[in-house]
Amino acid sequence: MNSPKLIPLLAILVLLSCSTKNSRIEINHNFTAGLDHMKSSEMKNLQEDDFLVYADEKNFDVLLKEKRATLVLFGMVTNDYSDFEKKYGIKVKTENCVITPGISKTAMVNNQIISAYLNEKFDTEWKTDLHVLPFGLN
């Protein structure tokens, strides 16, 4: 009759012995290590210079030198601007159609700085080749 009381006690002892066998706990500080195998090959090839950095008076020369100066368009449709980018050395990036007031002002300043550079260097020929007027340019 004592065996029904003994089974729960035995189960508790087994659980305690299993949980205390390895008292050393290893903490993995690289939280993204396991995610690499889930990324597509396009994502693995992303470089720092693939991310948009808006131009301002302070960083424009650096962006131009690094070939990271980017005209920003807003809309739902993206086109192939590779010919424009090769000819003028300026990237073109289409962002989504949701424009916040902060991004609106930043994108407008960015496009005005790049537009002034292109106008000085290529007159208005670049506008014809782009086929669309970037955000903030009238």
Side-chain angles (χ1 to χ4, degrees):
M1 295 254 167
N2 288 337
S3 65
K5 294 180 180 178
L6 189 59
I7 292 175
L9 182 61
L10 201 58
I12 292 172
L13 286 173
V14 169
L15 288 173
L16 284 174
S17 69
C18 291
S19 65
T20 59
K21 280 184 181 176
N22 186 3
S23 62
R24 184 174 175 214
I25 298 173
E26 293 183 28
I27 298 174
N28 182 1
H29 293 286
N30 186 356
F31 300 113
T32 61
L35 297 177
D36 264 352
H37 73 281
M38 295 172 57
K39 292 180 183 176
S40 67
S41 59
E42 293 86 22
M43 290 297 290
K44 288 181 182 176
N45 293 328
L46 282 177
Q47 303 295 321
E48 181 181 323
D49 60 328
D50 291 327
F51 295 96
L52 176 63
V53 176
Y54 289 99
D56 57 30
E57 285 112 20
K58 296 175 185 174
N59 70 359
F60 178 66
D61 291 331
V62 172
L63 292 175
L64 198 58
K65 180 181 173 187
E66 294 176 352
K67 298 182 180 177
R68 294 179 63 194
T70 307
L71 283 168
V72 179
L73 309 175
F74 291 99
M76 300 281 291
V77 179
T78 60
N79 294 321
D80 179 20
Y81 297 106
S82 56
D83 290 339
F84 179 88
E85 292 173 1
K86 287 176 191 169
K87 184 173 181 179
Y88 297 102
I90 302 292
K91 291 181 179 186
V92 180
K93 182 164 174 40
T94 303
E95 293 289 305
N96 65 38
C97 58
V98 178
I99 308 171
T100 64
I103 293 297
S104 171
K105 184 176 180 181
T106 304
M108 190 179 333
V109 168
N110 174 81
N111 289 346
Q112 289 171 345
I113 290 170
I114 295 173
S115 173
Y117 163 80
L118 289 170
N119 285 338
E120 183 180 317
K121 191 163 183 177
F122 302 102
D123 199 29
T124 58
E125 175 187 352
W126 67 273
K127 291 179 182 179
T128 306
D129 289 342
L130 188 58
H131 304 292
V132 64
L133 195 59
F135 179 79
L137 305 180
N138 298 334

